[in-house]
């Protein structure tokens, strides 16, 4: 479902990705691990179409992303890719419900439909009673679950997560990881997760080891 071929990326004279070939299937949970500076975040940003490779190809759901113009790419990203970052990146002035609705509204969903969808997802994530709260009034674990709800709202082809449990305590970390597997089992959700967490990595379908801009093994 996701294919990269020969993806290279440099920042100035620093070559950060040196030719990445990757195939990820639907409902697979893949962990990307490796030392700091290996290029994991850069690769995730490129898979997420937030950054462009200097060369190579990225195909998501049979779409060659290099063929899309800026506006088409933004719409494609909104429709197909959900993001979960280490720090939730929820908008502070908006409630949990509003934060979750935003990607659907950007995707031109009717407000009533977006609200219904957001409520259903928040309900599924056991956040119904936190819906009207703003991020500052939520715990770290709740904020990350709201971020997952926001990632899910457009029923994306893949959720990309960069150190999603990196700022959580053990209990919340385990709950968040369990949620990823539940979403895969119940909704066939595909995940690509950059993580330092050994326990999480061991439970995924596949671990991709990166070092110095290449996949090793
Ligand atoms: N926008 C950027 N401009 C310049 N250098 C960058 C940029 N983004 C990342 N880098 C450099 O690329 C290398 C890989 O970074 P990154 O992909 O964040 O690695 P990781 O996530 O594995 O720690 C690092 O040396 C980092 O400093
Ligand atoms: Mg990183």
């Amino acid at each position: 479902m996701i294919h990269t071929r020969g993806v290279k990326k440099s920042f100035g004279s620093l070559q950060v990705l040196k030719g990445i070939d990757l195939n990820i299937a639907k409902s697979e949970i893949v962990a990307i691990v490796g030392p700091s500076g290996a290029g994991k975040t850069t690769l995730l940003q490129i898979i997420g179409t937030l950054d462009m490779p200097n060369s190579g190809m990225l195909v998501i759901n049979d779409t060659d992303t290099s063929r899309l113009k800026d506006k088409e790419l933004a719409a494609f990203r909104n429709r197909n890719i959900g993001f979960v970052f280490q720090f939730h990146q929820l908008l502070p002035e908006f409630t949990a419900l509003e934060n979750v609705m935003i990607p659907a509204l950007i995707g031109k969903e009717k407000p009533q439909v977006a609200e219904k969808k957001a409520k259903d997802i928040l309900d599924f994530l056991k956040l119904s009673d936190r819906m009207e709260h703003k991020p500052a009034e939520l715990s770290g674990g709740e904020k990350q679950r709201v971020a997952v709800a926001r990632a899910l709202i457009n029923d994306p082809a893949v959720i990309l997560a960069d150190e999603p449990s990196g700022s959580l305590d053990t209990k919340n970390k385990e709950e968040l990881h369990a949620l990823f597997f539940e979403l895969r089992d119940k909704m066939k959700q595909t995940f690509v997760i950059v993580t330092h967490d050994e326990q999480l990595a061991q439970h995924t379908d596949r671990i991709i080891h990166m070092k110095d801009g290449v996949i090793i093994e």
Side-chain angles (χ1 to χ4, degrees):
M1 192 200 59
I2 298 173
H3 308 281
T4 75
R5 286 288 169 276
V7 163
K8 294 185 182 173
K9 179 72 179 178
S10 296
F11 295 109
S13 60
L14 179 69
Q15 195 176 20
V16 175
L17 299 177
K18 299 174 181 166
I20 301 288
D21 297 330
L22 205 56
N23 296 303
I24 295 163
K26 182 165 172 62
S27 76
E28 204 176 10
I29 299 186
V30 174
I32 300 179
V33 303
S36 179
K40 306 181 299 295
T41 292
T42 303
L43 177 60
L44 213 64
Q45 299 269 322
I46 287 175
I47 295 174
T49 75
L50 291 171
D51 203 351
M52 292 286 225
N54 299 116
S55 61
M57 197 165 72
L58 168 67
V59 177
I60 299 175
N61 268 348
D62 300 323
T63 299
D64 177 352
T65 57
S66 69
R67 290 176 187 277
L68 301 176
K69 300 192 189 71
D70 284 357
K71 270 193 175 170
E72 295 169 333
L73 191 63
F76 179 85
R77 184 187 311 125
N78 175 260
R79 176 128 302 288
N80 288 286
I81 300 163
F83 294 94
V84 179
F85 303 97
Q86 178 173 358
F87 301 101
H88 55 87
Q89 301 200 356
L90 300 172
L91 299 175
E93 305 90 271
F94 292 95
T95 65
L97 178 63
E98 289 163 345
N99 267 283
V100 175
M101 287 170 65
I102 288 169
L105 297 176
I106 290 172
K108 305 216 161 58
E109 188 65 271
K110 290 197 191 76
Q112 302 94 306
V113 178
E115 184 171 333
K116 168 85 167 68
K117 269 184 161 176
K119 282 183 173 168
D120 287 348
I121 295 169
L122 286 164
D123 200 27
F124 182 79
L125 302 194
K126 302 185 181 71
L127 287 162
S128 316
D129 54 344
R130 315 301 290 159
M131 259 176 348
E132 300 301 336
H133 292 261
K134 291 183 179 172
E137 301 158 349
L138 300 171
S139 74
E142 286 169 345
K143 279 186 277 214
Q144 277 309 57
R145 295 211 316 280
V146 173
V148 172
R150 179 183 55 184
L152 281 166
I153 186 129
N154 287 340
D155 192 18
V158 63
I159 290 184
L160 304 176
D162 198 350
E163 309 274 3
S165 55
S167 58
L168 298 179
D169 60 32
T170 306
K171 177 174 169 284
N172 281 301
K173 186 179 290 205
E174 284 169 2
E175 279 179 15
L176 185 70
H177 296 165
L179 175 61
F180 294 156
F181 289 94
E182 191 183 356
L183 292 170
R184 187 271 291 280
D185 294 342
K186 292 193 175 149
M187 300 174 180
K188 300 197 183 311
Q189 183 62 58
T190 311
F191 287 91
V192 180
I193 307 171
V194 170
T195 186
H196 280 120
D197 192 88
E198 274 300 322
Q199 256 192 343
L200 169 61
Q202 292 307 328
H203 282 95
T204 61
D205 301 315
R206 191 147 56 101
I207 304 179
I208 291 167
H209 295 268
M210 278 186 77
K211 199 182 172 197
D212 297 333
V214 294
I215 292 173
I216 49 180
E217 287 158 325

